Amino acid sequence: MPPNTVALIGAGRVAHHLGKQLHANGWQVVQVFSRSLHKAVELAAIVGAQPLDDLQDLTDSAAVYLLAVSDKAIAEVATQMTHIGNKLVVHTSGSTPSTVLAPYFERYGVFYPLQTFSFEREPDFSSIPLCLDASAEADLDMLKQMAQSLGGPQYVLKDDDRVMAHLAAVIVNNFTNHLYHIGADILAQHDLPFELIRPLILETAEKIKHHHPALMQTGPAIRGDEITVNRHLAMLKGIRPEWSELYKVLSDSILRTKKDRSGS
Amino acid sequence: MPPNTVALIGAGRVAHHLGKQLHANGWQVVQVFSRSLHKAVELAAIVGAQPLDDLQDLTDSAAVYLLAVSDKAIAEVATQMTHIGNKLVVHTSGSTPSTVLAPYFERYGVFYPLQTFSFEREPDFSSIPLCLDASAEADLDMLKQMAQSLGGPQYVLKDDDRVMAHLAAVIVNNFTNHLYHIGADILAQHDLPFELIRPLILETAEKIKHHHPALMQTGPAIRGDEITVNRHLAMLKGIRPEWSELYKVLSDSILRTKKDRSGS
């Protein structure tokens, strides 16, 4: 088989975007597996591959097998793929150790795109960091070549480091989005439009393109403006006590971080 | 005096950007006050105004007096401006009631740009929401005209609503930036570059241009993935216990919000 062949295990958001981008950049996607046949068919049609809903139909026709499934499905799927022989099998998970694949395959690794994907948005792969790892040097080279086809910056990260990167990602993505959600809810409860804070959300993110967030912190907490902080805590208690607790924990953390930085 | 005249009280980030933009859009900035003369001189030179470091030198030559000073300085500055006579005086604070100006002026209001400003970045005023309020209808019209010169969307918000918008702003700006800071610190402590999560930070914000954050939430907390959540809590305890508490409060809040939405 040619070296630039890949099989996609999974047809969710990550499989969808990785598959499309590999297909567009010289990789032949030979098979697409999903437990939902219609999902496999849909993605397979886009990338010109054979759809499967039974892993027993997975052949040895690919050089790389990309496991783009949920974390908890990785091991289960792996157990049903052992018939493919001596092939390179990689998962796309930030938080799962590569060694979860070791009982099933001799050649294994990780191909983790550190980005949030949705069906509604086309990702810009030229800016998506790809975190790579492999059990053998030659296989790492193959993953580097695959990453190069996608166009983004690449990082070789061992399990411990990748898990840390994933933790940081959860904090700046999931938690940040939750703060957006709370902001939107506060406005909605007072019949104010979300549009009021959308430009601020964008600017807050844009700022860190060129500046470290430590230098960009403003607001009542870091100013030590207790009057405003206490007024906000009281307001939130009236809206939703849980948000008041969250405000307090975050404000305390901002102040403590400032004290640590200034060495006091 | 012509109607499009303004005096700037303050020479910080907000005064700087508002002053420059008004100057560029047909407003004559007549005087700039700052307690630091060099700051007044610097901004006055940019906007073609007279610099002051003594409020007694403030004349009645402007139609609007913009108080772009820190929240706690507003009342103090106002007490020293009463000699200007029957002029419109507005502050630029999200969290301060307009009525703080009532003891000193008959005509008062608020001109609050809901954005984060820094000296390092040129703001795009066409997207900055301007929150307006005034004690008299004719003065509100003047503020609307001033807002129109700046080019952004305008909202007339009473004190209670503006204070809510400011609270939402603190949450999506200050707290989000703190999460960026924590993400950067976690990476730095493991010798990993901040560049790993910069694209994710941007995409997380870009997503809400067209989608409500409630629909964009992903990650271990909303999936109810306790294994990953507990692993992250343990990792953070080893790095900085305060971050572990913060992770827990935020994850619990994500789960509770999901339950409330689904009505369970």
Side-chain angles (χ1 to χ4, degrees):
Chain A
M1 96 234 82
N4 285 3
T5 47
V6 62
L8 293 176
I9 317 303
R13 290 170 297 183
V14 175
H16 181 90
H17 289 300
L18 280 179
K20 264 176 74 173
Q21 190 71 6
L22 286 169
H23 175 66
N25 287 280
W27 283 71
Q28 190 191 343
V29 183
V30 288
Q31 293 185 308
V32 174
F33 163 82
S34 170
R35 262 176 288 199
S36 316
L37 185 61
H38 75 276
K39 286 190 188 167
V41 168
E42 197 180 339
L43 179 52
I46 295 171
V47 298
Q50 182 200 1
L52 314 173
D53 68 347
D54 185 343
L55 280 169
Q56 293 314 307
D57 298 332
L58 194 68
T59 67
D60 62 356
S61 57
V64 184
Y65 291 74
L66 261 182
L67 264 65
V69 295
S70 68
D71 292 2
K72 60 174 183 253
I74 293 173
E76 185 200 327
V77 161
T79 58
Q80 299 171 53
M81 286 173 53
T82 49
H83 63 280
I84 57 167
N86 188 31
K87 297 307 183 82
L88 174 59
V89 181
V90 298
H91 69 60
T92 57
S93 164
S95 61
T96 310
S98 59
T99 47
V100 75
L101 299 170
Y104 314 105
F105 311 102
E106 252 179 60
R107 299 166 53 204
Y108 59 87
V110 179
F111 194 88
Y112 168 50
L114 207 162
Q115 187 52 287
T116 173
F117 294 101
S118 48
F119 285 114
E120 297 89 353
R121 284 177 61 86
E122 281 306 311
D124 170 15
F125 271 96
S126 70
S127 72
I128 299 177
L130 297 160
C131 305
L132 316 177
D133 193 17
S135 54
E137 202 57 40
D139 289 335
L140 189 58
D141 287 342
M142 179 138 52
L143 295 181
K144 286 179 182 173
Q145 193 194 324
M146 193 156 90
Q148 202 165 359
S149 304
L150 293 179
Q154 40 183 277
Y155 299 86
V156 177
L157 297 188
K158 291 287 157 206
D159 282 345
D160 286 355
D161 283 341
R162 192 183 62 260
V163 163
M164 279 296 163
H166 176 257
L167 170 58
V170 164
I171 290 172
V172 301
N173 171 247
N174 304 155
F175 291 172
T176 290
N177 188 73
H178 188 55
L179 295 179
Y180 298 165
H181 189 171
I182 292 173
D185 276 358
I186 288 172
L187 294 173
Q189 286 180 15
H190 296 83
D191 291 322
L192 296 166
F194 185 42
E195 270 54 42
L196 268 172
I197 56 170
R198 267 207 171 104
L200 177 63
I201 284 173
L202 286 171
E203 177 67 11
T204 304
E206 290 278 338
K207 267 188 173 177
I208 60 91
K209 266 189 192 170
H210 303 293
H211 303 283
H212 192 279
L215 305 173
M216 291 293 116
Q217 192 60 51
T218 58
I222 201 159
R223 278 202 312 271
D225 176 355
E226 284 181 36
I227 293 169
T228 303
V229 166
N230 288 333
R231 206 188 303 133
H232 283 169
L233 289 173
M235 285 161 72
L236 288 170
K237 223 166 244 165
I239 304 175
R240 191 160 170 153
E242 148 204 344
W243 290 346
S244 182
E245 185 193 356
L246 198 146
Y247 187 108
K248 182 147 180 39
V249 170
L250 279 158
S251 290
D252 287 351
S253 181
I254 288 173
L255 253 189
R256 242 175 288 173
T257 305
K258 182 192 178 189
K259 278 184 190 153
D260 288 356
R261 289 225 154 212
S262 61
S264 63
Chain B
M1 93 235 82
N4 286 1
T5 47
V6 62
L8 292 176
I9 317 302
R13 290 169 299 182
V14 175
H16 180 90
H17 289 300
L18 280 180
K20 265 177 71 172
Q21 190 71 6
L22 286 169
H23 176 64
N25 287 280
W27 283 71
Q28 189 191 342
V29 184
V30 288
Q31 292 186 307
V32 173
F33 163 81
S34 170
R35 261 175 290 198
S36 315
L37 184 61
H38 76 275
K39 285 189 189 168
V41 167
E42 198 179 337
L43 179 52
I46 295 171
V47 298
Q50 180 198 2
L52 315 172
D53 68 347
D54 186 343
L55 281 169
Q56 294 314 308
D57 298 331
L58 195 67
T59 66
D60 62 357
S61 58
V64 185
Y65 292 73
L66 260 182
L67 264 64
V69 296
S70 68
D71 292 1
K72 60 174 186 256
I74 293 173
E76 186 200 326
V77 161
T79 59
Q80 300 171 53
M81 285 174 54
T82 49
H83 62 280
I84 57 167
N86 188 29
K87 297 307 183 85
L88 174 58
V89 180
V90 298
H91 71 59
T92 58
S93 164
S95 61
T96 309
S98 59
T99 47
V100 75
L101 298 170
Y104 314 105
F105 311 103
E106 254 180 56
R107 299 166 53 203
Y108 58 87
V110 178
F111 195 88
Y112 168 50
L114 207 163
Q115 186 52 287
T116 172
F117 294 100
S118 48
F119 285 114
E120 297 88 352
R121 284 176 63 85
E122 281 307 312
D124 169 15
F125 272 95
S126 70
S127 73
I128 298 178
L130 297 160
C131 304
L132 316 177
D133 193 16
S135 54
E137 202 59 39
D139 289 334
L140 190 58
D141 287 343
M142 179 137 54
L143 295 182
K144 284 178 182 173
Q145 192 193 324
M146 193 156 91
Q148 202 165 0
S149 304
L150 294 179
Q154 40 182 278
Y155 299 87
V156 178
L157 296 188
K158 292 284 158 212
D159 282 345
D160 285 355
D161 282 341
R162 193 183 61 258
V163 162
M164 278 298 162
H166 176 257
L167 170 59
V170 164
I171 290 172
V172 301
N173 170 249
N174 304 155
F175 291 171
T176 290
N177 187 74
H178 188 56
L179 295 179
Y180 298 165
H181 190 171
I182 292 173
D185 275 358
I186 288 172
L187 294 174
Q189 286 179 14
H190 296 84
D191 292 321
L192 297 167
F194 185 42
E195 269 56 42
L196 269 172
I197 56 170
R198 268 205 171 105
L200 177 62
I201 285 174
L202 287 170
E203 177 67 11
T204 304
E206 290 277 338
K207 267 186 173 179
I208 60 91
K209 265 189 192 170
H210 304 292
H211 303 284
H212 192 281
L215 305 173
M216 290 292 117
Q217 192 60 50
T218 59
I222 201 159
R223 277 201 313 272
D225 176 355
E226 285 181 34
I227 293 170
T228 303
V229 167
N230 287 332
R231 206 189 302 133
H232 284 170
L233 288 173
M235 284 161 72
L236 288 170
K237 222 166 243 167
I239 303 175
R240 190 159 170 155
E242 149 204 345
W243 291 345
S244 181
E245 185 193 356
L246 198 147
Y247 187 108
K248 184 150 178 36
V249 170
L250 279 158
S251 291
D252 287 352
S253 180
I254 289 172
L255 254 189
R256 242 175 289 173
T257 305
K258 182 191 175 189
K259 279 184 190 151
D260 289 356
R261 289 224 152 211
S262 61
S264 64

